[in-house]
């Protein structure tokens, strides 16, 4: 984790040089050399920009929880509604319908819970089939934790990839097919596990996915059935 932080942090500086100078080359020399040169400059700038995004993602991943989590009472209804608002344009474009049952108030870091829901709901919208996505968020109380479910009717995931997708930069599709860097689920996993929970997926290729995660109950009140 620390390696990821140091590496990504220190890589930014030289990369800034590479991006700045490839951009300069592109601006000054596009159309002045031959076609091949234009193409090469284009590839170099694209590669540098892409690396910037990857480093930024890696940094974001390694920074999770570096300053500890700011835990408090978090109303998940409000968080999910906010996330739906943030994702409004993707939701509208795809014709997605996102529903949520009455969700609990949990003891967690609000920003981090929002990140988890945003990644899961965002993925449910993105990895859709032809028909509009139907996404539901539900939660139920188990012995020692809340069990959340984010369910979609999308492309699904073959069971053999169920664990792989939670690893940094692991994805099952080319970026030309579905945009993304493969960091979202790694971030979710880190947040949930740091909070003492677990996250996994239940799915079959072609028939939708259900992402499940747990958030431990906090204190005797919650364990005895009272809302926080
Ligand atoms: P990204 O969305 O940037 O690809 P993630 O870490 O969020 O990265 O997801 C990793 C991979 O898991 C995705 O590339 C995709 O193959 C698979 N995946 C995630 N969510 C879903 C989903 N709801 N339905 C189908 N596949 C999914």
């Amino acid at each position: 984790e620390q390696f990821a932080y140091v590496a990504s942090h220190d890589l930014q500086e030289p990369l800034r040089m590479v991006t700045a100078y490839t951009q300069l080359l592109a601006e000054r020399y596009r159309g002045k050399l031959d076609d091949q040169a234009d193409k090469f400059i284009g590839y170099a700038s694209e590669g540098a920009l892409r690396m910037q995004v990857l480093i930024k993602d890696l940094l974001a991943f390694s920074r999770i929880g570096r300053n500890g989590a700011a835990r408090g009472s978090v109303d998940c209804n409000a968080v999910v509604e906010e996330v739906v608002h943030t994702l409004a344009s993707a939701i509208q474009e795809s014709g997605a319908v996102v529903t949520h049952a009455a969700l609990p108030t949990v003891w967690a870091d609000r920003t981090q819970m929002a990140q988890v829901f945003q990644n899961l709901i965002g993925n449910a919208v993105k990895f859709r089939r032809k028909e509009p996505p139907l996404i539901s968020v539900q939660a139920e109380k188990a012995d020692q934790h809340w069990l959340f479910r984010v369910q979609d009717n999308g492309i699904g995931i073959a069971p053999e990839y169920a664990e792989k997708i939670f690893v940094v930069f692991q994805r099952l599709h080319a970026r030309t097919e579905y945009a993304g860097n493969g960091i979202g689920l790694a971030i979710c996993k880190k947040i949930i596990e740091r909070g003492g929970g677990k996250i996994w997926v239940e799915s079959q290729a072609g028939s939708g996915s259900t992402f499940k995660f747990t958030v431990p109950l906090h204190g005797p009140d919650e364990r005895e059935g009272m809302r926080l």
Side-chain angles (χ1 to χ4, degrees):
E1 201 174 293
Q2 197 163 8
F3 172 77
Y5 178 76
V6 173
S8 46
H9 189 263
D10 290 3
L11 281 172
Q12 275 189 321
E13 197 43 47
L15 187 59
R16 249 178 235 133
M17 290 276 272
V18 177
T19 352
Y21 281 97
T22 43
Q23 261 165 13
L24 208 62
L25 273 173
E27 280 162 23
R28 292 223 187 136
Y29 295 99
R30 183 160 287 147
K32 292 190 180 151
L33 305 167
D34 57 19
D35 283 354
Q36 287 269 52
D38 282 356
K39 231 196 269 171
F40 295 165
I41 294 172
Y43 293 152
S45 328
E46 247 170 61
L49 287 175
R50 172 132 183 75
M51 194 185 272
Q52 251 177 356
V53 174
L54 291 176
I55 288 177
K56 196 178 83 355
D57 284 348
L58 201 52
L59 258 176
F61 173 77
S62 64
R63 275 188 181 137
I64 292 169
R66 263 182 96 78
N67 303 318
R71 286 191 227 290
S73 291
V74 179
D75 174 2
C76 293
N77 298 293
V79 173
V80 168
E81 278 153 29
E82 252 172 53
V83 165
V84 166
H85 187 71
T86 308
L87 297 173
S89 68
I91 289 176
Q92 252 171 15
E93 256 167 49
S94 60
V97 177
V98 184
T99 56
H100 69 87
L103 299 174
T105 292
V106 298
W107 189 255
D109 180 308
R110 195 177 200 285
T111 311
Q112 293 186 346
M113 280 306 280
Q115 266 182 296
V116 170
F117 282 117
Q118 185 160 334
N119 280 316
L120 295 181
I121 297 173
N123 279 346
V125 173
K126 178 163 63 170
F127 296 104
R128 61 180 175 267
R129 287 182 294 180
K130 284 213 175 71
E131 63 267 34
L134 295 175
I135 302 157
S136 78
V137 184
Q138 292 169 51
E140 67 190 71
K141 201 178 210 178
D143 257 5
Q144 300 293 325
H145 55 247
W146 285 105
L147 172 65
F148 284 85
R149 281 196 305 271
V150 178
Q151 190 168 7
D152 66 51
N153 60 342
I155 61 172
I157 298 156
E160 62 264 38
Y161 298 122
E163 288 185 21
K164 185 179 165 182
I165 55 170
F166 290 96
V167 177
V168 178
F169 296 149
Q170 294 286 337
R171 4 194 14 246
L172 307 179
H173 309 274
R175 264 182 310 118
T176 45
E177 227 179 323
Y178 296 96
N181 294 323
I183 198 94
L185 289 179
I187 286 180
C188 292
K189 186 173 159 78
K190 192 167 170 189
I191 289 174
I192 294 300
E193 289 183 352
R194 287 206 156 204
K198 285 196 182 115
I199 183 167
W200 68 99
V201 66
E202 290 171 8
S203 178
Q204 294 292 331
S207 60
S209 312
T210 306
F211 282 82
K212 297 190 176 179
F213 64 89
T214 61
V215 178
L217 301 184
H218 176 68
D221 284 356
E222 214 186 357
R223 281 198 283 273
E224 275 156 24
M226 280 168 60
R227 285 272 169 89
L228 270 176

